[in-house]
Coordinates of all heavy atoms in Angstrom, one line a residue:
Chain P
T651 N -3.0 53.8 27.7 CA -1.8 54.2 26.9 C -2.3 54.9 25.7 O -3.4 54.6 25.1 CB -1.0 53.0 26.4 OG1 -1.8 52.2 25.6 CG2 -0.4 52.3 27.6
L652 N -1.6 55.9 25.2 CA -1.9 56.7 24.0 C -0.8 56.5 23.0 O 0.4 56.5 23.4 CB -2.0 58.2 24.3 CG -2.8 58.6 25.6 CD1 -2.8 60.2 25.7 CD2 -4.2 58.2 25.4
S653 N -1.2 56.3 21.8 CA -0.1 56.1 20.7 C -0.6 56.6 19.4 O -1.8 56.5 19.1 CB 0.3 54.6 20.6 OG -0.9 53.9 20.3
R654 N 0.3 57.3 18.7 CA -0.1 57.8 17.4 C -0.3 56.7 16.4 O 0.4 55.7 16.3 CB 1.0 58.8 16.9 CG 1.1 60.1 17.6 CD -0.1 61.0 17.2 NE -0.4 62.0 18.2 CZ -1.4 62.7 18.3 NH1 -2.4 62.6 17.3 NH2 -1.6 63.6 19.2
D655 N -1.3 56.9 15.5 CA -1.6 56.0 14.4 C -0.6 56.3 13.3 O -0.4 57.4 12.9 CB -3.0 56.2 13.9 CG -3.4 55.2 12.9 OD1 -2.5 54.6 12.3 OD2 -4.6 55.0 12.6
D656 N 0.1 55.2 12.8 CA 1.1 55.4 11.8 C 0.5 55.7 10.4 O 1.1 56.3 9.6 CB 2.1 54.2 11.7 CG 3.1 54.2 12.9 OD1 3.5 55.3 13.3 OD2 3.5 53.2 13.3
E657 N -0.7 55.1 10.2 CA -1.4 55.4 8.9 C -1.7 56.9 8.8 O -1.5 57.5 7.8 CB -2.6 54.5 8.9 CG -2.5 53.1 9.3 CD -1.9 52.3 8.2 OE1 -2.2 52.5 7.0 OE2 -1.0 51.4 8.5
D658 N -2.3 57.4 9.9 CA -2.8 58.8 9.9 C -2.3 59.4 11.2 O -2.9 59.2 12.2 CB -4.3 58.8 9.8 CG -4.9 60.2 9.7 OD1 -4.1 61.1 10.1 OD2 -6.0 60.4 9.2
R659 N -1.3 60.2 11.1 CA -0.6 60.7 12.3 C -1.4 61.8 13.0 O -1.0 62.3 14.0 CB 0.8 61.2 11.9 CG 1.7 60.2 11.3 CD 3.1 60.6 11.1 NE 3.7 61.2 12.3 CZ 4.0 60.6 13.4 NH1 3.8 59.3 13.4 NH2 4.6 61.2 14.4
R660 N -2.6 62.1 12.5 CA -3.5 62.9 13.3 C -4.2 62.1 14.4 O -4.5 62.5 15.5 CB -4.6 63.5 12.4 CG -4.1 64.6 11.5 CD -5.2 65.0 10.5 NE -5.6 63.8 9.8 CZ -6.5 63.9 8.8 NH1 -7.1 65.1 8.5 NH2 -6.9 62.8 8.1
R661 N -4.4 60.8 14.0 CA -5.2 59.9 14.8 C -4.4 59.4 16.0 O -3.2 59.3 15.9 CB -5.7 58.8 14.0 CG -7.0 59.0 13.3 CD -7.7 57.7 12.9 NE -9.1 57.8 12.6 CZ -9.6 58.3 11.5 NH1 -8.8 58.6 10.5 NH2 -10.9 58.4 11.3
Q662 N -5.1 59.1 17.1 CA -4.5 58.6 18.3 C -5.2 57.3 18.6 O -6.4 57.3 18.6 CB -4.7 59.6 19.3 CG -3.8 59.4 20.5 CD -4.0 60.5 21.6 OE1 -3.0 61.0 22.2 NE2 -5.2 61.0 21.7
T663 N -4.4 56.3 19.0 CA -5.1 55.1 19.5 C -4.9 55.0 21.0 O -3.8 55.2 21.5 CB -4.4 53.8 18.8 OG1 -4.6 53.9 17.4 CG2 -5.1 52.6 19.3
I664 N -6.0 54.7 21.6 CA -6.1 54.6 23.1 C -6.3 53.1 23.5 O -7.2 52.5 22.9 CB -7.1 55.5 23.7 CG1 -6.8 57.0 23.2 CG2 -7.2 55.4 25.2 CD1 -7.7 58.0 23.9
A665 N -5.6 52.7 24.5 CA -5.8 51.3 24.9 C -5.7 51.2 26.4 O -5.1 52.1 27.1 CB -4.7 50.4 24.3
I666 N -6.4 50.2 27.0 CA -6.4 50.0 28.5 C -5.1 49.3 28.9 O -4.5 48.5 28.1 CB -7.6 49.2 28.9 CG1 -7.8 49.3 30.4 CG2 -7.5 47.8 28.4 CD1 -9.2 48.8 30.8
T667 N -4.6 49.7 30.1 CA -3.4 49.0 30.6 C -3.9 47.8 31.5 O -5.1 47.7 31.8 CB -2.5 49.9 31.4 OG1 -3.2 50.4 32.5 CG2 -2.1 51.1 30.5
S668 N -2.9 47.0 32.0 CA -3.3 46.0 32.9 C -3.8 46.6 34.2 O -4.7 46.0 34.9 CB -2.1 45.0 33.2 OG -1.0 45.7 33.7
L669 N -3.2 47.7 34.6 CA -3.7 48.4 35.8 C -5.2 48.8 35.7 O -6.0 48.7 36.6 CB -2.8 49.6 36.1 CG -3.2 50.4 37.4 CD1 -3.1 49.5 38.6 CD2 -2.2 51.6 37.6
G670 N -5.5 49.4 34.5 CA -6.8 49.8 34.2 C -7.8 48.6 34.2 O -8.9 48.6 34.8
Q671 N -7.3 47.5 33.6 CA -8.1 46.3 33.5 C -8.4 45.7 34.9 O -9.4 45.2 35.2 CB -7.4 45.2 32.6 CG -8.2 44.0 32.4 CD -9.5 44.2 31.7 OE1 -9.5 44.9 30.6 NE2 -10.7 43.8 32.2
Q672 N -7.4 45.9 35.8 CA -7.5 45.4 37.1 C -8.6 46.1 37.9 O -9.4 45.5 38.6 CB -6.2 45.7 37.8 CG -5.9 45.0 39.1 CD -4.5 45.3 39.7 OE1 -3.5 45.4 38.9 NE2 -4.4 45.6 41.0
I673 N -8.8 47.4 37.7 CA -9.9 48.1 38.3 C -11.2 47.6 37.8 O -12.2 47.4 38.5 CB -9.8 49.6 38.0 CG1 -8.6 50.2 38.7 CG2 -11.1 50.4 38.5 CD1 -8.4 51.7 38.6
I674 N -11.3 47.4 36.5 CA -12.5 46.8 35.9 C -12.8 45.4 36.6 O -13.9 45.2 37.1 CB -12.4 46.6 34.4 CG1 -12.3 47.9 33.7 CG2 -13.5 45.7 33.8 CD1 -13.6 48.6 33.5
D675 N -11.8 44.6 36.6 CA -12.0 43.2 37.2 C -12.5 43.3 38.6 O -13.3 42.5 39.1 CB -10.7 42.4 37.1 CG -10.3 42.2 35.6 OD1 -11.2 42.3 34.8 OD2 -9.1 41.9 35.4
E676 N -11.9 44.2 39.4 CA -12.2 44.3 40.8 C -13.6 44.8 41.0 O -14.2 44.5 42.1 CB -11.2 45.3 41.5 CG -9.9 44.7 41.8 CD -8.9 45.8 42.2 OE1 -9.3 46.9 42.3 OE2 -7.7 45.4 42.5
K677 N -14.1 45.6 40.1 CA -15.4 46.3 40.4 C -16.6 46.0 39.5 O -17.7 46.4 39.8 CB -15.2 47.9 40.3 CG -14.2 48.4 41.2 CD -14.7 48.3 42.7 CE -13.7 48.9 43.7 NZ -14.1 48.7 45.1
V678 N -16.3 45.1 38.5 CA -17.4 44.9 37.6 C -18.6 44.2 38.2 O -19.8 44.5 37.9 CB -16.9 44.1 36.3 CG1 -16.4 42.7 36.8 CG2 -17.9 44.1 35.2
D679 N -18.4 43.3 39.1 CA -19.5 42.6 39.7 C -20.3 43.5 40.6 O -21.5 43.5 40.5 CB -19.0 41.4 40.6 CG -18.4 40.3 39.7 OD1 -18.7 40.3 38.5 OD2 -17.7 39.4 40.3
Q680 N -19.6 44.3 41.4 CA -20.3 45.3 42.2 C -21.1 46.3 41.4 O -22.3 46.6 41.8 CB -19.3 46.0 43.1 CG -20.0 46.8 44.3 CD -18.9 47.5 45.1 OE1 -17.7 47.2 45.0 NE2 -19.4 48.4 45.9
A681 N -20.6 46.7 40.3 CA -21.3 47.6 39.4 C -22.5 47.0 38.9 O -23.6 47.6 38.8 CB -20.4 48.1 38.3
A682 N -22.4 45.7 38.5 CA -23.6 45.0 38.0 C -24.7 44.9 39.0 O -25.9 45.0 38.7 CB -23.2 43.6 37.5
Q683 N -24.2 44.7 40.2 CA -25.2 44.6 41.4 C -25.9 45.9 41.6 O -27.1 45.9 41.8 CB -24.4 44.3 42.6 CG -24.7 42.9 43.3 CD -23.8 42.8 44.5 OE1 -22.6 42.6 44.4 NE2 -24.4 42.8 45.7
I684 N -25.2 47.0 41.5 CA -25.8 48.3 41.7 C -26.8 48.6 40.6 O -27.9 49.1 40.9 CB -24.7 49.4 41.6 CG1 -23.8 49.3 42.9 CG2 -25.3 50.8 41.5 CD1 -22.6 50.2 42.9
V685 N -26.5 48.2 39.4 CA -27.4 48.4 38.3 C -28.6 47.6 38.5 O -29.8 48.0 38.3 CB -26.8 48.1 36.9 CG1 -27.8 48.1 35.8 CG2 -25.7 49.1 36.6
E686 N -28.4 46.3 38.9 CA -29.6 45.4 39.2 C -30.4 46.0 40.3 O -31.7 45.9 40.2 CB -29.1 44.0 39.5 CG -30.2 43.0 39.7 CD -31.2 42.9 38.6 OE1 -30.8 43.2 37.4 OE2 -32.3 42.6 38.9
G687 N -29.8 46.5 41.3 CA -30.6 47.1 42.4 C -31.4 48.2 41.9 O -32.6 48.4 42.3
F688 N -30.8 49.0 41.1 CA -31.5 50.2 40.5 C -32.8 49.7 39.7 O -33.9 50.2 39.8 CB -30.6 51.0 39.6 CG -31.2 52.1 38.9 CD1 -31.4 53.3 39.5 CD2 -31.6 52.0 37.6 CE1 -32.0 54.4 38.8 CE2 -32.2 53.0 36.9 CZ -32.4 54.2 37.5
R689 N -32.5 48.7 38.9 CA -33.6 48.1 38.1 C -34.7 47.6 38.9 O -35.9 47.8 38.7 CB -33.0 47.0 37.3 CG -33.9 46.3 36.3 CD -33.3 45.1 35.7 NE -34.3 44.1 35.3 CZ -34.5 43.8 34.0 NH1 -33.9 44.4 33.1 NH2 -35.5 42.9 33.8

Side-chain angles (χ1 to χ4, degrees):
Chain P
T651 60
L652 312 181
S653 58
R654 285 287 154 193
D655 184 343
D656 282 329
E657 313 282 320
D658 183 339
R659 302 185 49 70
R660 287 171 304 184
R661 276 197 159 83
Q662 193 177 220
T663 299
I664 302 187
I666 194 171
T667 64
S668 57
L669 182 58
Q671 185 63 50
Q672 198 177 314
I673 294 185
I674 292 284
D675 294 341
E676 282 170 1
K677 297 294 181 186
V678 65
D679 288 347
Q680 192 180 347
Q683 245 180 291
I684 291 172
V685 171
E686 181 54 26
F688 176 82
R689 184 189 152 112

